[in-house]
Amino acid sequence: MLTEETPTSRPRKVRTRDQILGASDKRDGIYERILNAVMEHRLIPGTKLVEEKLAGVFQVNRTRIREVLARLAYEGIVTTIPNRGAFIASPSVEEARLIFQARRILEPALIRSLVAKADGEQFQRLHAHVAQERAAREAADTRAVIRLSGEFHLLIAQMVDSPPLIKLMRELSLLTCLIILLYDSPNVPACPNHEHTEVIQAMEQGQVDEAVRLMLGHLDHIEATLDLSLEEDTEVDLEHIFG
Ligand SMILES: [Zn+2]
């Protein structure tokens, strides 16, 4: 899975990711490739990350892999279970709700910060990013659509230029990718292009409150496409089975 060609091997997309993620992340190819695989739904929740296999795939020693897994565990992307190993996290319904709650707090603040300092060049980059999303959608490149949708939100954080906020947004964005994979209804687009464009346009016109309202509506739409009643249903089924 990790050896197949990834979009990072295509020059255009490498540039985009480099813009979005900080310079320190560029140095860590293994970490980056695992994150990319999560963002593109190639690594799914519950997947066991076997140190030895990863060491073979990336041709590094197991210590190096352990360092990457520890970082991913710290960020909540990987869950470590004693005596069993490391797994791609499977956020619960409750965790999913908390992640959206955190995004509703963070993303309006990012928009307010960006509008206060953004220039025309930054808005052009945001529009260019949405154009890439649209192209991926038209090409039916689902993996790219999922990744680019999440990266739009990261790009806003990156433009605000605060490393702690970029870190928070990246983690929330990755966890959202896992949540979408766990709970999404099939055939529902993760982030409709026109909603991203509306947010950019409101910011461009200096309509901060409107941009915040549109972003919150956008997050509501994403959450609404998820079936977060799954876990409750499962519990009812268990009672039925053992009752
Ligand atoms: Zn979005």
Side-chain angles (χ1 to χ4, degrees):
M1 179 182 289
L2 291 165
T3 54
E4 70 184 66
E5 190 190 61
T6 71
T8 53
S9 62
R10 292 175 225 153
R12 276 190 59 163
K13 290 183 179 173
V14 169
R15 262 203 306 278
T16 306
R17 259 196 98 66
D18 287 354
Q19 286 165 0
I20 289 163
L21 301 165
S24 61
D25 295 304
K26 271 190 270 183
R27 287 197 292 270
D28 196 333
I30 299 169
Y31 170 81
E32 275 300 298
R33 287 184 66 183
I34 292 176
L35 287 192
N36 246 333
V38 170
M39 289 200 84
E40 296 197 332
H41 287 179
R42 282 180 289 117
L43 270 180
I44 64 171
T47 304
K48 187 171 184 184
L49 299 174
V50 182
E51 278 177 17
E52 208 173 293
K53 280 190 187 169
L54 289 173
V57 167
F58 292 117
Q59 302 197 320
V60 294
N61 60 37
R62 287 176 67 170
T63 308
R64 186 73 199 90
I65 295 297
R66 227 169 279 147
E67 284 167 8
V68 172
L69 293 180
R71 181 176 173 188
L72 289 165
Y74 175 72
E75 293 173 353
I77 311 304
V78 158
T79 306
T80 310
I81 303 174
N83 303 320
R84 286 191 56 208
F87 299 82
I88 296 292
S90 299
S92 68
V93 167
E94 181 58 22
E95 284 167 335
R97 290 206 171 99
L98 290 173
I99 285 157
F100 276 99
Q101 185 190 53
R103 291 189 63 164
R104 282 194 197 87
I105 293 167
L106 177 61
E107 297 199 46
L110 291 174
I111 283 179
R112 288 184 193 283
S113 300
L114 183 57
V115 171
K117 64 184 282 188
D119 55 31
E121 193 265 334
Q122 287 178 311
F123 290 125
Q124 271 179 18
R125 276 175 64 195
L126 287 168
H127 281 300
H129 187 89
V130 175
Q132 273 192 299
E133 285 181 56
R134 194 177 302 115
R137 208 178 294 273
E138 281 164 10
D141 187 347
T142 312
R143 286 175 178 177
V145 170
I146 294 164
R147 180 173 51 79
L148 289 165
S149 296
E151 285 180 350
F152 172 77
H153 297 258
L154 278 179
L155 188 54
I156 291 175
Q158 205 264 348
M159 287 177 173
V160 171
D161 203 20
S162 156
L165 294 179
I166 294 168
K167 183 174 181 291
L168 277 177
M169 191 63 238
R170 186 173 54 205
E171 288 172 24
L172 291 171
S173 184
L174 283 162
L175 289 166
T176 303
C177 281
L178 293 175
I179 290 163
I180 288 171
L181 189 54
L182 282 166
Y183 302 110
D184 202 6
S185 330
N187 309 317
V188 179
C191 284
N193 280 332
H194 70 274
E195 293 190 354
H196 286 175
T197 301
E198 285 169 4
V199 170
I200 303 169
Q201 285 168 345
M203 286 196 290
E204 249 174 330
Q205 290 158 13
Q207 298 174 338
V208 184
D209 292 338
E210 177 65 1
V212 166
R213 191 188 67 78
L214 288 165
M215 180 57 92
L216 289 172
H218 175 56
L219 293 174
D220 285 344
H221 289 166
I222 301 172
E223 192 172 358
T225 63
L226 306 175
D227 181 10
L228 296 180
S229 61
L230 204 65
E231 201 164 75
E232 284 87 336
D233 288 344
T234 306
E235 280 170 13
V236 170
D237 286 344
L238 284 174
E239 281 171 9
H240 177 73
I241 291 164
F242 297 111

